[in-house]
Structures are given as C-alpha cells and as structure tokens.
Amino acid sequence: MELTFLGTSAGVPTRNRNVTAMVLNPLLARPGLWLFDCGEGTQHQMLRTAFNPGRIDKIFITHLHGDHIFGLPGLLCSRSMAGSEAPLTIYGPAGIREFINMSLKLSGSWAGFPLTIHEITEGLVFDDGEMKVSAVALAHPVECYGYRIEEHDKPGKLDAQRLTRAGVAPGPLFQRLKRGETVRLEDGREIDGRDYLGEPQKGKKLAIFGDTGPTPGALRLAQEVDVMVHETTLEAAMAEKANSRGHSTTQQAAELAREARALRLIMTHFSSRYDAAACLRLLSEARAIFPASELAEDFLTITV
C-alpha cells in the first residue's frame, strides 16, 4: 500500500501546508483509491498529483470539523462534471449524510454517479475478504473516529515441486490446493493443500487517527501496526492546551506509538504556528521517545 498526504496543517491552510486529506493506494489489492478526510482545497491538491478523483471509490471521514470536510462538496461536484459514473461510498460519523445532501441541494448540484453514504459507529465498517477497515472512537469535542486498515493474511507459497513429485500435475488443482483445499486425485489419493503451503504472508496494518486527545481506545487502534498516522498539533510543553481542545502533542503521540509497538509513526496535523524549522523541533521531541518518528509534508508518499 502507498499513502500520500495531500494536507498536513491543523485548522487552517498555510503557505506550505493544506488542511487534512490523505490518499491510500492499495496497489495490487484493488484498482481504486481511498481518501481519508477531505479538507478545503483537496481537489486542488490532487491536481498536483497523478491521482484522478474518478478513481476514488471510498472516502473515510474522521469527523465533521471544517478542516476535514469542507473540500467534500467541491470534490463530488467536480467528479460529476468530469463524467465519472464509477460508484463512490462515503463513511463518516452521524451528520455526514445531512452535510452532503444539504450542500448539494442548496447549491443546485448533484452526484452523477451512484453515491452511498454510511454513517458509522465503532467497529467493523468494511471487509471484502482482502482488506478490512475498523473504526475506533476518539477523544474530540465532536464525534470523531480513527480508522484501522488491515490486509488479510495471504496464503503461503505453494510448494509446486513437492506436488509434482507427489504426482500432481500443474493445472486447476494447484489453485484449489493454494486455497488450502483437499482434492482427490484420479488414483483415489487425497491431497491436503495445507500440507504443501509455506508460512502465511502477514497482511500490512495501518492506523489513521482523526483529531484526538489521549484516550484508551487509541492503543487498540494502533496496536502493532506497520504505520501509525497521528496528529501532533502542538509541542510537548502545550499539553494542557492541546488536550483541552481534543488534540495531542508530540510527546503523547510518540508515547502511544511506543506502547502500541508500532513500527513507524508519521506525525501530521501541525498547528499553523509552526514553520518548517519549528516542525523539526517537533520531530526531535517525538524521536526522543520513539526514534522511528517522521514528519509528514504535503505530497509525501510512504510505502506501508
């Protein structure tokens, strides 16, 4: 999977950072793109990338604050005007349906493609057998969720040479054995595919947090993920201010990454008070606790 940041600023855009949006490209897992949050100007940011809004088939909204959703009506309208007929599904907290429907209605706009809106609660929100997405409630002044994206484990490699030596000819039976099925050969023997499979390939795990202060559910969301994307709105010395507004500091995000045994922490959602030099100071605070911390920047792409 690849994750591209389209906006990394908290609350308002700056000269170098737009407000929150991220594109997840599952690559070989599926042809579509997934968008996480859609702050104002998201479609303008996409114009500076190779991403086509028509390829987005799922949008996951963490919460209804403007810096996370004000770009959504424009993106939907542009997608329609471009003639896209591909279905789109939007997931988000209660109120997301009213926001979208009212925005389109009052502006005399419409979605010229099948649009499905799911208002979510905690728990599993999507699973197609290859990937699943779960939502965990966070600590913010409005209803807010983080999303845990997990690939299902893949079967291990089929030992074709052993099967050939056992008298199984390559062909359709190999596909069934690859799935772990038991097949009966023409001579009456039964072959259990599980006996010829290597170790399963562990699926990747990614946690994308919405805005949040420290909360017990965060550990469940981030437990042993390959990549944890977490807001670091303010520096460690401003913890009281950050938490009172439902946000986290560098130190708190790094401590969570360490406790969750995440492999990487990607810091984002920086207050506009921090310029590029000040963000490096934020990075130092996080790395003092969790060395595998990185700064997100607009248009940064990471591989999960």
Side-chain angles (χ1 to χ4, degrees):
M1 295 184 284
E2 288 183 347
L3 182 69
T4 299
F5 293 83
L6 298 180
T8 55
S9 182
V12 297
T14 69
R15 289 182 181 272
N16 299 313
R17 297 181 184 274
N18 199 47
V19 286
T20 301
M22 289 163 266
V23 173
L24 180 67
N25 185 357
L27 297 176
L28 297 179
R30 60 188 60 256
L33 301 172
W34 295 359
L35 182 66
F36 288 81
D37 283 336
C38 190
E40 179 185 359
T42 292
Q43 64 173 321
H44 294 272
Q45 296 289 88
M46 292 190 73
L47 291 173
R48 298 174 61 186
T49 72
F51 298 130
N52 183 337
R55 284 189 59 205
I56 298 173
D57 57 19
K58 287 180 174 39
I59 299 177
F60 297 87
I61 300 297
T62 61
H63 65 294
L64 302 188
H65 277 159
D67 59 324
H68 294 255
I69 64 167
F70 281 170
L72 195 50
L75 180 67
L76 296 179
C77 291
S78 294
R79 197 175 186 272
S80 292
M81 294 177 70
S84 176
E85 297 180 352
L88 174 64
T89 304
I90 299 177
Y91 303 84
I96 187 64
R97 180 181 290 108
E98 181 181 4
F99 171 76
I100 292 171
N101 289 342
M102 191 62 69
S103 296
L104 296 178
K105 177 182 177 181
L106 293 180
S107 63
S109 305
W110 61 91
F113 48 84
L115 176 62
T116 304
I117 303 171
H118 293 294
E119 295 192 331
I120 65 168
T121 56
E122 266 205 326
L124 184 68
V125 298
F126 171 79
D127 189 347
D128 67 354
E130 292 184 347
M131 298 181 71
K132 65 179 180 179
V133 180
S134 303
V136 174
L138 301 175
H140 202 53
V142 299
E143 185 178 3
C144 184
Y145 294 96
Y147 292 101
R148 183 179 173 97
I149 303 99
E150 300 175 86
E151 292 179 327
H152 286 277
D153 293 345
K154 298 177 178 62
K157 185 178 180 180
L158 189 67
D159 192 334
Q161 291 185 346
R162 279 187 60 210
L163 283 170
T164 301
R165 290 197 298 268
V168 184
L173 288 183
F174 271 39
Q175 294 301 317
R176 293 179 57 191
L177 293 168
K178 173 74 172 175
R179 294 193 295 266
E181 297 180 15
T182 298
V183 302
R184 183 182 294 275
L185 304 182
E186 292 183 357
D187 60 10
R189 287 183 297 149
E190 286 191 346
I191 300 290
D192 188 340
R194 293 172 297 180
D195 295 335
Y196 293 85
L197 292 176
E199 288 296 317
Q201 301 174 37
K202 283 290 186 181
K204 297 293 186 178
K205 299 182 288 292
L206 167 67
I208 295 178
F209 280 74
D211 294 1
T212 186
T215 180
L219 185 60
R220 178 160 41 96
L221 177 60
Q223 194 73 48
E224 298 182 343
V225 294
D226 295 275
V227 175
M228 169 181 148
V229 179
H230 199 289
E231 64 131 294
T232 50
T233 305
L234 294 171
E235 61 196 281
M238 303 182 71
E240 184 176 352
K241 181 175 182 178
N243 297 165
S244 69
R245 299 181 179 181
H247 292 294
S248 297
T249 67
T250 52
Q251 179 178 343
Q252 290 166 338
E255 288 174 344
L256 173 62
R258 182 178 62 187
E259 185 179 0
R261 297 192 297 279
L263 296 184
R264 297 169 70 187
L265 165 63
I266 311 297
M267 304 159 57
T268 188
H269 200 268
F270 308 106
S271 167
S272 60
R273 73 181 64 212
Y274 301 114
D275 60 12
C279 282
L280 291 178
R281 179 163 51 84
L282 300 182
L283 179 61
S284 295
E285 288 188 346
R287 282 183 171 172
I289 298 166
F290 187 75
S293 298
E294 305 167 50
L295 285 178
E297 297 178 352
D298 288 23
F299 307 112
L300 170 71
T301 295
I302 65 165
T303 299
V304 181

